[in-house]
Amino acid sequence: MADWASSRAKTARYDTEAERRPVKPHLAPQKASEHSTGFTSQVAGMMADSIVDKAIKDRTAQLENEGWNGGYNNGYKVEANGEMKSKDEDKDGAAADEDDDLEALRARRRKQMKEMQEKKQKNAALGHGGYDEIAEEEFLKVVTSSNLCVVHFYHRHFEKCKIMDMHLSKCAKKFFGTRFVKLNAEKAPFFVEKLAVRTLPCVIVFIDGVAKGRQVGFEGLGGEEFATAQLAWKLKEWEGIEEEVDPDEEF
């Protein structure tokens, strides 16, 4: 095998000036003394980390300002840590969030529809939608079973009571959220006295079994030719009807 030193001596004269320059030695960490706490090494490490972080931020800013060499980053964006992330990933994430929001909205809507259907079935079982006569013994059960209940205390020979019956019958069919019933005042002396019914017809609104308002005779309705919507509006004012009421609507 040829001696490397002698071979190198023969070819050295052909080296370029750059090749003849001495190679700068790598800086080696200083040897710590026996009394060293390591603080110097820690500071050096922190400075190195700081330099790396700054270099990443500077490079990121440069890429963003330059548009990554005239637009070659189209479809990507540079994260704060210097990594590149596809913009499509952001779009996919946003689309997924929209899908989640839409599904949550649909779930709430399905729940609401289910609750409405269950409530409608319950009200139908309680007699909502009809206008029935009840006995005094049924009174408490009727007004406490339904959240909203309207009771007409009437006299069978009073013409005004018959007119009120006609209007309440129409209301019962339209406002399904309320139970409409009538009670013969002559056959219900206890509740007539308890509720201080003095004038007939008398229509009382009950909410969860508690009397909240009453329509005495045709007071405030404009005489015997009043419209059903006017009566419904009065009942709505006492919160005896949950549906919307148009006072000008023809029933």
Side-chain angles (χ1 to χ4, degrees), residues 115-128:
E115 291 175 349
M116 290 175 60
Q117 183 62 25
E118 290 176 350
K119 181 179 179 180
K120 186 175 181 179
Q121 292 175 351
K122 176 184 176 182
N123 287 343
L126 291 172
H128 289 231

Side-chain angles (χ1 to χ4, degrees), residues 16 18 24 58 69 88 101 110 171 174 180 186 221 238:
T16 64
K24 186 177 180 180
D58 290 345
N69 294 332
D88 289 338
D101 293 341
R110 286 194 296 267
C171 287
K174 184 171 182 63
F180 290 85
E186 291 182 298
L221 296 176
W238 294 310

Side-chain angles (χ1 to χ4, degrees), residues 149-210:
C149 185
V150 171
V151 181
H152 174 206
F153 286 83
Y154 77 99
H155 191 287
R156 58 195 178 96
H157 294 309
F158 289 7
E159 288 300 319
K160 286 188 176 181
C161 290
K162 295 178 182 179
I163 294 174
M164 186 64 74
D165 277 340
M166 176 192 68
H167 291 295
L168 290 175
S169 179
K170 293 181 180 180
C171 287
K173 295 175 182 178
K174 184 171 182 63
F175 304 113
F176 197 75
T178 303
R179 178 82 190 276
F180 290 85
V181 297
K182 60 182 180 178
L183 179 61
N184 190 332
E186 291 182 298
K187 298 180 179 180
F190 177 80
F191 289 108
V192 166
E193 181 66 26
K194 198 73 174 175
L195 295 170
V197 176
R198 300 288 182 263
T199 303
L200 300 178
C202 181
V203 179
I204 302 179
V205 173
F206 292 89
I207 301 177
D208 292 327
V210 179

Side-chain angles (χ1 to χ4, degrees), residues 21-64:
R21 292 175 185 171
V23 178
K24 186 177 180 180
H26 294 289
L27 294 177
Q30 295 180 353
K31 182 178 181 181
S33 68
E34 58 180 340
H35 301 294
S36 175
T37 62
F39 176 75
T40 302
S41 299
Q42 293 177 9
V43 171
M46 293 171 61
M47 292 179 64
D49 291 341
S50 176
I51 292 172
V52 172
D53 290 341
K54 186 176 184 306
I56 291 176
K57 292 179 180 178
D58 290 345
R59 182 55 176 163
T60 300
Q62 181 184 0
L63 289 175
E64 290 179 347

